[in-house]
Amino acid sequence: MIVIAFSCTSYVLSSDPGFRNKPSSCDDPVCDNDPELCPNTIMCEPVEEPIFELFETICISIFTVDYVIRILTVPLMPSRLANILPADWDTLDNPLGTKPDPTYSWYTQLLKYASTIMNIIDLVAILPYYIGFATDSGGSVSIVRILRLARVLRIFKIGSFTSGMNLIAGAVRNSIPAMSILLFCTILGIILFGSIIYFLEAGTYVVNKDFPDGAYVRWNFDHTAKENSPFTSILVSCYWAVVTSTTVGYGDIHPTSPMGRFLAVILMYAGILLLALPISVVGAAFTREYEKYHSKSAENADDRSSVATFKRNAEPPIHDTRIPANDTAFIKYREREDMLRALSEMSCQLTDMTTRVNAMMLVLTRDHEEVVTEEKFEGSGKRVNFTRMNSNGHPRMVSEGVELVPGENISGPQG
């Protein structure tokens, strides 16, 4: 994280005019021995100090080594440590924590890890530096600037070291339905108001001595003279609608007619109401995410405290009654064990009950004979396997595992 902060600071400072100088020679000078502007002089665009390029090289080298090592070692990591488990694994698929974590092949795990958002950001942050070597040798200057601009994405690497970025991302992700409704309504409103203001403020096409080439003109703000209408198309009018609905109001484009001003007032109030509704939804989602994060942090702190107390107390058994009543981690573990044990006992009882009902149905049926094929004594009872036979001697139904207690008798029509 220190390297990321240092790299971002270096990137910001390198744009300051005090840390830039004009080189004496360059491949694309802005003025080359011009007799009027720069006689006997070559003027180049100011560039950053060489020390910043050295800082950039060092930081990129560290980022590259870190990225390559993580990509090469991720196939050897467990899926949980690599953070590539399914999104609902711990909440829906494995809420009790009894199932083992899923495993993947080495190439699947590598692709899953490399395609995560943070790793894509890491790659985009370092890749322009290496592409710049090819473009610097003869590429376009604008391409180089765009590639260097991608360095600003490096600041998102800080999100992998802080929980705040994950908190905001979770709140935005849960607010996507409300944001989609906002986007849909905003697009409809922008097109509607943009079209109306265009027909109100586009003006009239005239050709006169003031506008010999012809132009759409309207009255100015004071209604004292004619001027070119800035609402040249519906696209430009939609830009005005966005600026006005968000109550920004740059003032570069504004209506001058009474109807245009009235429409602008309606759009301002509509924009306030339209933005207020989803903002409350996003705020509520952020509150839920913060409470979830706070409770999870408290549980982790309690777990660490309980484990430390458990080790200091010579590690008593999990179900030992000497465990303190406020030991949250072991109380939860014991409750989970008791619940699993109760479910297992209920399943066994249900299986035995079903088997006994099947055996009684065999006994109550008149057209059969029961043949004891196997007996097995278990404890104080006896487990018997019955075979139901046809009249021709072929087996029709088998009932296994009927548990008999002492004194209990099951007989057919023959006895």
Side-chain angles (χ1 to χ4, degrees), residues 84-376:
I84 57 174
L85 290 176
D88 299 329
W89 175 255
D90 290 328
T91 56
L92 297 180
D93 299 332
N94 190 24
L96 299 178
T98 56
K99 298 180 181 179
D101 292 336
T103 57
Y104 306 97
S105 59
W106 68 269
Y107 53 87
T108 302
Q109 185 154 325
L110 179 62
L111 291 176
K112 282 180 172 291
Y113 181 76
S115 59
T116 58
I117 298 297
M118 296 310 300
N119 286 310
I120 292 176
I121 292 176
D122 291 344
L123 180 61
V124 173
I126 63 177
L127 196 59
Y129 178 83
Y130 297 102
I131 298 178
F133 285 113
T135 56
D136 283 342
S137 60
S140 174
V141 177
S142 59
I143 297 178
V144 176
R145 290 178 177 176
I146 294 174
L147 293 175
R148 289 180 177 177
L149 180 62
R151 292 184 295 176
V152 75
L153 297 176
R154 203 170 301 158
I155 195 172
F156 290 103
K157 289 170 62 67
I158 300 178
S160 59
F161 298 95
T162 59
S163 57
M165 186 71 71
N166 297 328
L167 185 64
I168 296 176
V172 173
R173 184 168 53 251
N174 294 333
S175 304
I176 288 179
M179 300 295 287
S180 61
I181 295 174
L182 169 65
L183 180 62
F184 177 74
C185 295
T186 301
I187 292 175
L188 291 182
I190 288 172
I191 296 175
L192 175 63
F193 283 93
S195 301
I196 296 175
I197 199 67
Y198 171 73
F199 289 105
L200 291 177
E201 296 290 333
T204 306
Y205 190 82
V206 298
V207 178
N208 53 32
K209 61 180 181 179
D210 295 329
F211 306 98
D213 296 330
Y216 285 95
V217 298
R218 65 170 186 175
W219 288 104
N220 60 5
F221 188 78
D222 298 329
H223 283 256
T224 57
K226 294 285 187 174
E227 65 176 6
N228 278 328
S229 175
F231 295 89
T232 56
S233 66
I234 294 181
L235 290 176
V236 176
S237 302
C238 288
Y239 160 76
W240 170 86
V242 172
V243 173
T244 305
S245 63
T246 55
T247 67
V248 175
Y250 290 125
D252 52 347
I253 301 177
H254 58 274
T256 58
S257 65
M259 290 301 299
R261 295 177 183 178
F262 179 73
L263 184 67
V265 172
I266 296 177
L267 181 57
M268 292 175 193
Y269 278 102
I272 293 174
L273 296 176
L274 189 64
L275 292 176
L277 296 177
I279 285 176
S280 60
V281 176
V282 175
F286 180 82
T287 302
R288 288 194 299 269
E289 288 293 325
Y290 180 78
E291 291 176 352
K292 187 188 302 183
Y293 166 75
H294 183 71
S295 61
K296 186 176 180 180
S297 300
E299 290 180 359
N300 292 337
D302 292 341
D303 292 345
R304 289 192 295 268
S305 177
S306 301
V307 171
T309 304
F310 180 73
K311 291 182 178 180
R312 287 196 303 268
N313 293 335
E315 298 186 359
I318 295 298
H319 298 282
D320 195 342
T321 57
R322 294 175 297 172
I323 296 177
N326 60 352
D327 200 336
T328 307
F330 292 104
I331 289 175
K332 289 184 178 180
Y333 183 82
R334 184 169 56 192
E335 290 176 351
R336 186 179 66 180
E337 290 291 320
D338 293 340
M339 183 176 62
L340 292 175
R341 187 181 299 103
L343 291 175
S344 179
E345 292 177 357
M346 291 176 60
S347 177
C348 293
Q349 293 175 2
L350 182 61
T351 302
D352 291 342
M353 186 181 299
T354 304
T355 306
R356 293 175 67 86
V357 169
N358 291 336
M360 293 178 65
M361 293 296 295
L362 289 174
V363 172
L364 295 176
T365 304
R366 294 292 182 179
D367 57 346
H368 80 285
E369 67 175 2
E370 297 166 347
V371 180
V372 178
T373 58
E374 182 181 359
E375 296 183 357
K376 183 177 180 181

Side-chain angles (χ1 to χ4, degrees), residues 31-44:
C31 183
D32 188 3
N33 295 318
D34 188 279
E36 296 181 359
L37 299 178
C38 54
N40 301 323
T41 305
I42 296 178
M43 298 185 65
C44 301

Side-chain angles (χ1 to χ4, degrees), residues 26-62:
C26 56
D27 296 333
D28 189 16
V30 295
C31 183
D32 188 3
N33 295 318
D34 188 279
E36 296 181 359
L37 299 178
C38 54
N40 301 323
T41 305
I42 296 178
M43 298 185 65
C44 301
E45 181 182 0
V47 297
E48 60 189 24
E49 294 286 348
I51 187 64
F52 291 107
E53 295 183 0
L54 177 62
F55 291 160
E56 178 72 9
T57 302
I58 294 174
C59 293
I60 286 294
S61 301
I62 296 175

